[in-house]
Amino acid sequence: YNFTYPFSSSISTANGSALVKIGNTTVICGIKGELTCPPSDAPNKGYIVPNVDLPPLCSSRFRPGPPSEQAQVASQFIADVIDSSNVIQKEDLCIEKGKLSWVLYCDIICLDYDGNLLDTCVVALLAALKNARLPEVTINKETDLAEVNTDKLHHLNVSKHPVSSSFSIFDNTIVIVDPTVEEETLSTAMMTVVTDEDDRLCMLHKPGGSALSGEKLQDCISRAVTRHREVSKLIEKVMDSFEPDK
């Protein structure tokens, strides 16, 4: 793994960002916070809106135009990871109940594509969320308008740390971790396992393909738990090296 984790943000217009490379796949994630009204059915919550972009520059397999099916599946996968893992408590994004909350736009762009996209996107999202800082916002009691103090910034409360592990399956006999695009193409099925720091299974994503025995499935989950610890240590190491006082 090769993580670039810029504290001051390599995307100057974003509130936080991270560049992550796994193998030959490179992904950049930018977090942009905007003020909005809370949802009517959840007045004490904010929003998190992820989007995965697979532009033609990352691979010849993608064409200009509307988002490809793979990009749409990846975007929905990231949204499901956010909800199932509770990486950010949406209640923490509410500034004043029923009046004002944050919406976090999580734009994930693939710069180089060589398989294992979902794992790379999850790590980039997690690192960018940990990097993001939002200004202090209050509501003036006299004017009932929002006042933004850009001199006071605070980090997001990242409550959970999900990490995904993807596997290429070949007729239930061979399982490959961190597959390349060639290995993904040749496989008879793909599966992605998402776990958190408590060894909890947050999500299991297997879009069809050949069946997997219970023994192989348990082996993949055990590998995912082990890999989570390795990736988490690496993220923390890189994050610490970019603290502003270092």
Side-chain angles (χ1 to χ4, degrees):
Y1 307 96
N2 181 9
F3 298 90
T4 299
Y5 185 93
F7 183 88
S8 59
S9 185
S10 59
I11 305 177
S12 60
T13 56
N15 295 104
S17 66
L19 179 70
V20 175
K21 182 175 183 180
I22 300 180
N24 292 323
T25 295
T26 306
V27 163
I28 190 168
C29 177
I31 307 293
K32 181 66 175 178
E34 293 185 4
L35 297 174
T36 186
C37 292
S40 56
D41 58 340
N44 64 329
K45 295 183 179 181
Y47 302 85
I48 305 176
V49 183
N51 181 66
V52 177
D53 187 16
L54 299 173
L57 67 87
C58 73
S59 172
S60 59
R61 65 174 52 214
F62 303 116
R63 298 285 182 267
S68 64
E69 181 180 355
Q70 186 172 354
Q72 294 179 55
V73 169
S75 295
Q76 185 58 53
F77 172 83
I78 295 297
D80 292 341
V81 169
I82 291 171
D83 289 337
S84 63
S85 68
N86 291 318
V87 59
I88 296 286
Q89 297 289 338
K90 293 182 180 179
E91 289 84 355
D92 292 341
L93 300 177
C94 182
I95 299 169
E96 185 157 335
K97 185 177 179 179
K99 289 187 176 182
L100 195 65
S101 66
W102 286 105
V103 51
L104 298 182
Y105 292 102
C106 309
D107 293 313
I108 304 171
I109 303 173
C110 184
L111 304 179
D112 266 310
Y113 178 81
D114 187 34
N116 204 15
L117 174 70
L118 299 182
D119 292 7
T120 316
C121 287
V122 171
V123 175
L125 173 71
L126 177 59
L129 287 173
K130 290 175 72 66
N131 173 246
R133 295 196 296 174
L134 297 177
E136 182 183 85
V137 179
T138 56
I139 293 183
N140 189 301
K141 300 300 181 183
E142 296 180 359
T143 63
D144 205 33
L145 297 176
E147 296 180 348
V148 181
N149 186 352
T150 55
D151 293 328
K152 289 187 177 181
L153 301 176
H154 63 88
H155 285 285
L156 293 170
N157 180 22
V158 180
S159 56
K160 290 293 180 180
H161 299 76
V163 171
S164 75
S165 300
S166 291
F167 304 87
S168 279
I169 303 164
F170 297 85
D171 296 323
N172 195 37
T173 56
I174 301 175
V175 176
I176 296 178
V177 189
D178 295 340
T180 64
V181 67
E182 184 179 4
E183 290 165 343
E184 289 181 353
T185 303
L186 295 174
S187 67
T188 56
M190 288 293 301
M191 183 176 70
T192 301
V193 178
V194 182
T195 59
D196 65 15
E197 65 268 33
D198 298 321
D199 297 344
R200 182 176 67 97
L201 178 63
C202 301
M203 190 173 145
L204 195 153
H205 176 71
K206 186 179 180 297
S210 60
L212 192 65
S213 68
E215 183 181 357
K216 285 287 186 181
L217 176 59
Q218 188 57 52
D219 179 55
C220 289
I221 294 175
S222 297
R223 292 190 190 189
V225 169
T226 302
R227 183 169 178 267
H228 181 285
R229 294 167 185 159
E230 297 171 352
V231 173
S232 294
K233 288 180 181 177
L234 191 52
I235 292 177
E236 290 300 323
K237 180 180 178 181
V238 176
M239 180 184 69
D240 290 343
S241 68
F242 278 92
E243 286 296 329
D245 56 347
K246 297 183 178 182

